[in-house]
Amino acid sequence: MASNASATYSSIRNIGIIAHIDAGKTTVTERFLFYSGKTHRIGDIDSGNTVMDYLDEERSRGITIVAAAASFEWAGRDGNTLIHLIDTPGHIDFTAEVERSIRVSDGAVVIFSGVEGVEAQSEKVWRQSNHYGVPKIAFVNKLDRLGASFQKTFEEIQQKFTDVTPVQIQLPVGIESEFSGVIDLIDMNMVEFQGDEGSEIVKGDIPDDMIDEAENARDNMLTAFADLSDSIAEVYLEGEDVPSDLIRGELRRLIGTGDVCPVLCGSAKKNIGIQPLLDAIIDFLPAPEDRKEVDAIDPRSGEVVKQETGGSNFYGLIFKIVASGSADLLYMRTYSGTLKLNDTLVNPRTKEKVRVKRILRLYAKNVEAIEEVGSGDIVGLIGPQGVNTGDTLCCVNHPLLLEKITFPEPVISMAIEPRSSKDKDRLVGVLELLCREDPTLFLDTHETTGQMLLSGMGELHLEINANRIREEFNVDARCGKPRVAFRETLTGPCSITGVFDKTIGDKEFYCEVDIDFYTERLECGHLVENGIKHHNIPGSWILSAENALDGGLKTGGTSGYSLTYIRAVLKDLRGTPDRTNEGAAAGAVLDAVSKAILKGTVMLEPIMKLDITAPEECIGEITGYLQARRAVIHNISPLPSGKRLNCEVPLAEMFGFSKALPKLSGGRAGFSMEPCGFQEVSQDELDRMIQSSSTVF
C-alpha cells in the first residue's frame, strides 16, 4: 500500500490478540508478519529477536509488557485487506494494555493453549472483550505439545463461556508429535503446511480414517448454525448440502451479533494453522464499516448521543501514548472523517486546539509517514500537546467525547527516591512520563514522610518500571519494598446536600447539589451517574460536577486512601446564572463528598484470584501454605498432568509466593494471579500488617 494513501473503510480489520500468559500470542503474531511478507524471517521469543516484543525487558524476560501495533496486508478472497494487529500482554500486571487495545478493536483473536486449556487470564480477557462488545475467534494453539487435547480445550471453552455458542470449524489431524495439519469443516478438505517455514498450503482429501469423525464434526457445526440461522436451517433440514459461501456469510453475521465464536486450531511454533486463521480474520470478523454508530457525549449539553461512524466530521480516540521529553507519539483509532497533515483538531476535555504535524503508519517500534488517514483506521500522531489516554480529538466545529477507557485501580505501592539530590527533578520528570504512558501507574507523595510513592498493578509491574528508570532513562533511583495499597469505602448509603457559598474578590459564588451515595461492589471501583431529571441546568455545570465527583472519590477517605465500591448519583443541582459557574458546581460537590466521608469509612484490602496448576502429590502442601495465609479455596479440579487449584487470597499474604511455590512443588507448579476486588480488613489484621514488612504506606 502506498505510503501516502489511507485504506478504504471496508478493507480494514482492527484486531486484538488476547490470551493467558504463555499461550502463544507473540508467536502467532510473528507468523502473521512473516506469511504476509512484512518480515523476511520469523521472530523467535527464545532467540530474543521478535518484532512485536521489542523492549529490552520483554526480550530478556520472554514476555509481552506493552501492547504493540503492526499494520500489514493479507490477500483474502476479495482482494487485499489492511490488518491492524495489536499484540497484548498476557500477564495480569499489564491489564491496562489489554483494556485499551480491546477498546479500539473491532474483533479479537483469543488464543488458548491446547495443553493448559482455559486459564484464569483467558477468562479475564474474555470478560474485557465482552465489556466492549467485541466479537471473537478462538484459536487452540500448541497442539503439537505433549499433553495437548483439542477436544478437552473446546469443551472447557463451552463450559466457561456460556454467553456465546462456540463452534468447531476445524479439526486437528493427529495430536502431540503426530500433529500434521487441520481439516476445514466448511470446505471439507484437509489442509497441510509444507515448504519453507510452512508457507506452502496444500489442500487435499480428508484421510480415510478421519472421514467419519469429520462428517460428525461438520454435522455438529451445521446443527449449531441451524439453531441460529434460518437460511442455513432451511437448506440443512431439507437434507441438502449447505454451500460453503452460505456458511461463511451466516457465520460472519452470527459472529457480529455475538451469538457464535468459531474455534480453529494449530501450532504456531510448528507453523500449522496460521494462514487459515488469517483468512478467518478477514472472512468473519467485522470491518469498521460494520459498526454504524458509537456512544458519545455532547460536551455542550452533557447528553449521551448516538454518533454515526464513517461520516464527514472527523473524530478519533487516543488509546495509547508513548511519552517523550519532546513530542509524544499518540496511538489513535479513527471513527469518522478524514485527517490530513497540519489539520487543526480540538480536545473537548481541555477545550484546547491542537495541530497534527505527522501521521504515521505503525509497525511495532518502527513508523512510516503517511499524508492522510480516513475512517476506521489505527495510526500514530505527533504534534498534539496536553493529550491523555482516553481523550477524543475531533474537528473544531463538531466537538464530542467518546466513551472513556476504564482502567483498574493500583493495588501495590513502593517508595522511590533518587540516590543523589541533584537527580530529584529528573526522577520526577521520568515518573510523570511513565504515568502519562501507563494509566495504571500512579504517583503520589506520602502525607507524613514526604516520600514519593509509585503505585501499580503488581510486583512485576513496579519492578519493570523501576528497571526502565535506571536503564532506559539513566536515573539512579532507590526503591523501597512493595507494599499493599489499601482502599476505603463508606460505612453505608447516604444522601448529602453539598453547598458552595463564598465571596472571592468582589464576586459572590453559590451552588447546591444533592448526591445519593450507595455502597456497591463495582468492578470499576466507583461509579458516577447523572440522575438530574430537569433540563434547564447548563450542561457545563453538570459536566464539571461529574468530574469533581469522580476526582473527589479518588482523593481519599478518613485515612487518606482512595474510596471504592461507591455509586454516586448526582440528583439535583441548584444555582443562579449570576452566581453559579463550573467552579461553584465543583466546590458544592467536593463539600458533599467531605460530608459523606465524615459519616464514617471502613478500610479495605485488595484480594487476588489465584490459579495454580501442580502435580497431585504437591497440592496438599500448597493448600496448607495458602490456608495459613487467609486464603479461601474455591475449587480443586483434575488435569491430565495434575490438579488445578482456584482460590482467593489477600494480596498482603502473597509477597514472596513466587519464590515459595517452587520449593513447595519441586519447581513443577505454575500460577497466575489477578486482582478480584477488595474486602474489609479487621483492626487486628491491620495492626499485624502495619508491624510486618508488607505494611501499607
Side-chain angles (χ1 to χ4, degrees):
M1 183 170 292
S3 62
N4 63 347
S6 59
T8 59
Y9 196 36
S10 60
S11 63
I12 296 174
R13 298 292 184 275
N14 297 312
I15 306 301
I17 302 288
I18 56 179
H20 186 91
I21 190 170
D22 204 32
K25 294 179 306 302
T26 300
T27 307
V28 168
T29 302
E30 293 294 323
R31 268 68 181 171
F32 282 177
L33 299 177
F34 176 75
Y35 293 132
S36 67
K38 193 71 178 179
T39 58
H40 301 293
R41 60 164 175 77
I42 296 177
D44 182 68
I45 291 173
D46 295 333
S47 302
N49 60 2
T50 54
V51 172
M52 301 300 272
D53 286 352
Y54 57 86
L55 296 179
D56 290 341
E57 283 280 348
E58 292 180 308
R59 290 183 169 180
S60 64
R61 294 174 184 266
I63 62 171
T64 301
I65 294 171
V66 298
S71 303
F72 61 91
E73 289 186 344
W74 183 251
R77 300 173 201 280
D78 300 318
N80 282 359
T81 297
L82 178 65
I83 297 177
H84 297 305
L85 191 73
I86 307 176
D87 176 27
T88 63
H91 200 287
I92 190 62
D93 282 19
F94 311 106
T95 187
E97 298 291 331
V98 181
E99 191 76 37
R100 56 177 159 204
S101 302
I102 289 296
R103 169 66 178 83
V104 298
S105 296
D106 297 314
V109 177
V110 190
I111 299 177
F112 300 94
S113 166
V115 180
E116 287 82 10
V118 179
E119 299 175 273
Q121 183 66 356
S122 308
E123 297 181 62
K124 171 72 174 178
V125 296
W126 190 283
R127 291 196 303 271
Q128 285 176 293
S129 63
N130 282 348
H131 175 73
Y132 293 112
V134 176
K136 293 171 279 290
I137 287 175
F139 180 73
V140 180
N141 190 29
K142 299 190 175 183
L143 291 182
D144 62 303
R145 295 264 302 274
L146 184 66
S149 171
F150 175 71
Q151 192 57 39
K152 181 180 178 298
T153 304
F154 177 70
E155 288 169 2
E156 277 195 56
I157 294 171
Q158 287 179 308
Q159 293 163 7
K160 296 280 179 77
F161 306 121
T162 55
D163 57 294
V164 70
T165 302
V167 180
Q168 288 181 229
I169 63 170
Q170 289 181 348
L171 273 182
V173 178
I175 203 71
E176 298 181 343
S177 61
E178 302 297 318
F179 183 46
S180 60
V182 300
I183 291 174
D184 182 341
L185 298 176
I186 296 177
D187 289 332
M188 284 301 279
N189 56 28
M190 178 173 172
V191 185
E192 293 183 280
F193 305 86
Q194 302 176 2
D196 183 28
E197 308 286 5
S199 56
E200 184 182 341
I201 306 296
V202 179
K203 296 184 179 181
D205 294 336
I206 297 170
D208 291 342
D209 61 347
M210 290 195 68
I211 289 176
D212 289 345
E213 183 183 355
E215 287 179 347
N216 287 335
R218 178 178 167 87
D219 197 53
N220 291 337
M221 176 187 76
L222 292 174
T223 300
F225 290 158
D227 288 340
L228 300 165
S229 165
D230 292 340
S231 302
I232 290 180
E234 260 182 61
V235 180
Y236 180 60
L237 293 175
E238 288 179 6
E240 298 179 18
D241 187 40
V242 183
S244 298
D245 288 345
L246 175 60
I247 296 174
R248 288 193 183 90
E250 284 299 280
L251 180 51
R252 180 185 175 88
R253 181 183 67 80
L254 292 170
I255 291 172
T257 58
D259 291 314
V260 164
C261 174
V263 182
L264 295 85
C265 59
S267 166
K269 193 77 173 175
K270 296 295 184 183
N271 306 314
I272 297 175
I274 303 301
Q275 297 94 324
L277 179 57
L278 279 166
D279 290 335
I281 288 171
I282 293 172
D283 288 345
F284 304 137
L285 290 178
E289 68 175 353
D290 295 319
R291 180 184 285 190
K292 303 299 182 185
E293 58 185 19
V294 294
D295 287 338
I297 296 173
D298 184 335
R300 292 163 293 199
S301 67
E303 293 183 356
V304 177
V305 295
K306 292 291 184 183
Q307 185 64 38
E308 175 191 357
T309 61
S312 57
N313 293 315
F314 180 83
Y315 61 93
L317 182 76
I318 302 300
F319 68 96
K320 180 179 171 71
I321 297 173
V322 179
S324 71
S326 52
D328 293 347
L329 171 61
L330 311 175
Y331 284 44
M332 171 184 266
R333 161 68 196 266
T334 68
Y335 288 91
S336 179
T338 301
L339 179 67
K340 298 181 180 179
L341 287 179
N342 296 314
D343 277 359
T344 297
L345 302 173
V346 67
N347 183 344
R349 179 182 62 83
T350 62
K351 301 182 177 62
E352 295 291 327
K353 292 182 180 179
V354 297
R355 174 157 292 184
V356 176
K357 296 178 181 177
R358 296 185 73 193
I359 305 173
L360 304 167
R361 184 66 70 208
L362 300 167
Y363 180 52
K365 67 176 179 179
N366 301 311
V367 295
E368 175 190 7
I370 58 176
E371 294 180 3
E372 67 176 64
V373 61
S375 303
D377 217 320
I378 290 178
V379 291
L381 299 184
I382 290 179
Q385 300 291 314
V387 177
N388 291 341
T389 299
D391 279 354
T392 304
L393 298 183
C394 50
C395 57
V396 176
N397 59 359
H398 192 74
L400 60 87
L401 288 162
L402 293 168
E403 179 189 358
K404 291 181 179 179
I405 308 173
T406 56
F407 296 105
E409 298 179 357
V411 296
I412 192 169
S413 303
M414 70 178 181
I416 186 166
E417 60 184 24
R419 290 190 182 275
S420 170
S421 58
K422 65 182 175 62
D423 286 335
K424 183 176 181 181
D425 289 344
R426 282 188 64 211
L427 178 60
V428 171
V430 169
L431 289 171
E432 289 175 347
L433 182 149
L434 291 174
C435 292
R436 199 160 75 246
E437 282 192 354
D438 185 347
T440 56
L441 279 177
F442 183 73
L443 182 63
D444 199 8
T445 303
H446 194 280
E447 287 184 4
T448 55
T449 66
Q451 284 181 306
M452 287 188 293
L453 302 179
L454 185 65
S455 301
M457 297 305 299
E459 289 181 272
L460 181 62
H461 191 203
L462 294 180
E463 180 188 335
I464 283 174
N465 279 284
N467 288 345
R468 286 189 68 191
I469 291 168
R470 286 188 287 262
E471 296 168 14
E472 187 177 329
F473 298 99
N474 298 313
V475 177
D476 194 6
R478 265 200 307 260
C479 299
K481 189 176 289 188
R483 314 263 177 111
V484 173
F486 279 61
R487 294 289 182 271
E488 294 178 65
T489 193
L490 298 176
T491 52
C494 56
S495 297
I496 304 289
T497 297
V499 180
F500 186 84
D501 188 0
K502 289 187 178 180
T503 300
I504 302 174
D506 59 353
K507 189 168 176 59
E508 294 182 350
F509 293 93
Y510 175 79
C511 185
E512 283 188 16
V513 294
D514 296 333
I515 303 174
D516 289 345
F517 294 92
Y518 302 93
T519 50
E520 298 177 8
R521 189 181 176 95
L522 301 167
E523 241 185 72
C524 56
H526 68 266
L527 183 64
V528 172
E529 295 180 355
N530 175 19
I532 295 176
K533 302 292 185 186
H534 45 91
H535 302 287
N536 58 345
I537 300 172
S540 60
W541 295 5
I542 296 174
L543 198 58
S544 177
E546 288 179 317
N547 289 336
L549 188 50
D550 182 65
L553 293 175
K554 290 177 181 175
T555 300
T558 308
S559 301
Y561 304 112
S562 296
L563 293 162
T564 193
Y565 290 170
I566 294 172
R567 181 167 64 92
V569 183
L570 192 64
K571 299 296 288 185
D572 198 9
L573 192 153
R574 296 177 292 279
T576 60
D578 59 326
R579 297 180 62 195
T580 307
N581 62 6
E582 290 88 346
V589 165
L590 294 177
D591 180 61
V593 172
S594 296
K595 289 175 179 175
I597 290 171
L598 286 174
K599 286 183 173 290
T601 64
V602 294
M603 193 80 80
L604 304 175
E605 64 174 334
I607 301 299
M608 309 302 286
K609 180 180 178 182
L610 184 62
D611 185 288
I612 301 171
T613 56
E616 187 168 357
E617 60 269 23
C618 304
I619 285 292
E621 195 166 351
I622 293 170
T623 302
Y625 177 94
L626 292 170
Q627 287 175 331
R629 286 158 179 78
R630 298 189 286 141
V632 177
I633 310 294
H634 290 303
N635 184 42
I636 299 177
S637 56
L639 290 173
S641 56
K643 297 276 190 180
R644 174 178 289 162
L645 184 151
N646 304 107
C647 68
E648 290 182 8
V649 59
L651 174 62
E653 307 287 356
M654 292 306 293
F655 291 99
F657 179 72
S658 60
K659 294 178 181 176
L661 185 61
K663 296 176 183 176
L664 294 169
S665 65
R668 294 183 293 163
F671 78 99
S672 65
M673 188 167 61
E674 66 169 297
C676 63
F678 295 82
Q679 71 178 13
E680 187 173 346
V681 58
S682 69
Q683 189 60 48
D684 288 345
E685 287 294 344
L686 192 58
D687 291 342
R688 183 181 65 82
M689 283 186 277
I690 289 174
Q691 293 169 8
S692 75
S693 60
S694 58
T695 183
V696 61
F697 284 108

